[in-house]
């Protein structure tokens, strides 16, 4: 199933998962917060239901799924319809671009990174959150592929691959944090680096 259809049909399920796992959401938001520099003009690409944007104070999102966008709008986010590979914004329009757990729905990451870089100002920052398939819990995502519609067609990547692609796209990574070491809804530490936690947040600046 094309991911837009998937998220149109399952927006309620997606959003409810966070409702049921508030401590995992909190840990992920905290990891992203720790790598986020101050910003004045920010965009979240693939804003989804807007939970991260709302928590981080990002007022503008881009989203291809109307059902996901409806949730984000209810959370007070302005949402523009569109795709990461063709951002409908001017060059240098933002000083921060966020892209959180979107990369695993992109068969190729390079076109989206190129677009993020284009819309960032000279010293702008890209903040990414992603599922690190090379972390120990990555095996759980792989095992769940057959029965979980969110994972079936996902393009999971390890953090080393993401770092390599960022380098090729002209970004220098400045900060990395990791969290989520169990899928139980318990308090989870945010630590520097990657390799242990299945959720990785990083900040990269335009070189
Ligand atoms: C796992 S959700 C993440 C949503 C939100 N960032 C969050 O962390 O809760 C992935 C989102 O990426 C969006 N998406 C999928 N393909 C996309 C593309 N090519 N460009 C932009 N967004 C895309 C989906 O519609 C979905 O809302």
């Amino acid at each position: 199933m094309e991911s837009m259809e998937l998220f149109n049909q399952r927006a309620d399920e997606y959003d409810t998962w966070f409702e049921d796992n508030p401590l995992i959401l909190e840990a992920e938001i905290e990891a992203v917060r720790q790598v986020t520099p101050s910003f004045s003009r920010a965009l979240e690409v693939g804003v989804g239901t807007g939970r991260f944007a709302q928590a981080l104070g990002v007022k503008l999102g881009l989203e291809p799924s109307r059902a996901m966008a409806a949730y984000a709008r209810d959370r007070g986010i302005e949402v523009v319809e569109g795709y990461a590979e063709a951002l409908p914004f001017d060059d240098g329009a933002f000083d921060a671009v966020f892209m959180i757990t979107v990369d695993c729905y992109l068969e190729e990451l390079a076109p989206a990174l190129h677009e993020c870089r284009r819309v960032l100002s000279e010293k702008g920052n890209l903040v990414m959150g992603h599922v690190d398939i090379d972390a120990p819990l990555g095996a759980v995502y792989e095992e769940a592929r057959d029965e979980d519609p969110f994972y079936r067609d996902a393009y999971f990547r390890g953090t080393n691959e993401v770092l390599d692609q960022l380098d090729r796209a002209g970004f220098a990574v400045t900060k990395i944090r990791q969290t989520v070491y169990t899928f139980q809804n318990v308090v989870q530490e945010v630590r520097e680096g990657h390799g242990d936690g299945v959720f990785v947040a990083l900040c990269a600046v335009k070189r």
Side-chain angles (χ1 to χ4, degrees):
M1 189 192 289
E2 213 249 271
S3 82
M4 190 179 71
E5 268 178 66
L6 167 74
F7 285 101
N8 272 337
Q9 289 172 13
R10 295 183 179 266
D12 299 349
E13 196 183 323
Y14 181 81
D15 200 63
T16 304
W17 189 89
F18 288 117
E19 199 96 20
D20 296 339
N21 295 278
L23 296 176
I24 296 181
L25 174 63
E26 202 175 287
E28 292 183 356
I29 288 172
E30 178 56 24
V32 175
R33 199 171 268 140
Q34 286 191 18
V35 301
T36 298
S38 60
F39 58 82
S40 53
R41 293 165 296 134
L43 167 73
E44 184 178 346
V45 173
V47 69
T49 60
R51 286 185 182 271
F52 284 82
Q54 186 183 42
L56 297 162
V58 176
K59 308 264 184 271
L60 177 65
L62 174 116
E63 174 55 51
S65 157
R66 288 189 180 172
M68 298 289 273
Y71 272 95
R73 290 191 179 108
D74 282 350
R75 294 196 162 100
I77 316 296
E78 180 189 343
V79 185
V80 174
E81 206 174 306
Y83 288 89
E85 297 86 345
L87 296 175
F89 302 105
D90 291 340
D91 295 3
F94 304 101
D95 58 358
V97 171
F98 293 78
M99 197 165 70
I100 300 169
T101 59
V102 174
D103 67 295
C104 51
Y105 296 98
L106 307 178
E107 184 171 4
E108 285 185 62
L109 188 49
L113 293 181
H114 178 82
E115 277 293 89
C116 289
R117 194 175 187 285
R118 180 184 65 76
V119 301
L120 277 168
S121 57
E122 205 184 324
K123 290 186 176 154
N125 292 285
L126 171 64
V127 175
M128 277 184 75
H130 89 113
V131 169
D132 181 358
I133 202 66
D134 293 340
L137 280 187
V140 178
Y141 284 86
E142 289 293 7
E143 280 159 21
R145 262 192 199 274
D146 288 345
E147 71 265 21
D148 192 317
F150 287 105
Y151 306 156
R152 195 169 298 138
D153 299 317
Y155 304 99
F156 292 119
R157 296 176 172 89
T159 298
N160 284 329
E161 185 188 339
V162 172
L163 294 177
D164 184 50
Q165 295 233 23
L166 283 164
D167 183 46
R168 286 165 196 256
F171 286 101
V173 173
T174 54
K175 280 184 187 169
I176 305 186
R177 296 288 185 278
Q178 58 185 322
T179 190
V180 185
Y181 315 93
T182 166
F183 289 121
Q184 287 175 336
N185 184 43
V186 293
V187 173
Q188 309 210 34
E189 231 187 311
V190 174
R191 300 182 201 147
E192 285 192 21
H194 67 95
D196 298 324
V198 80
F199 181 86
V200 168
L202 59 84
C203 180
V205 68
K206 266 171 91 162
R207 273 204 316 264

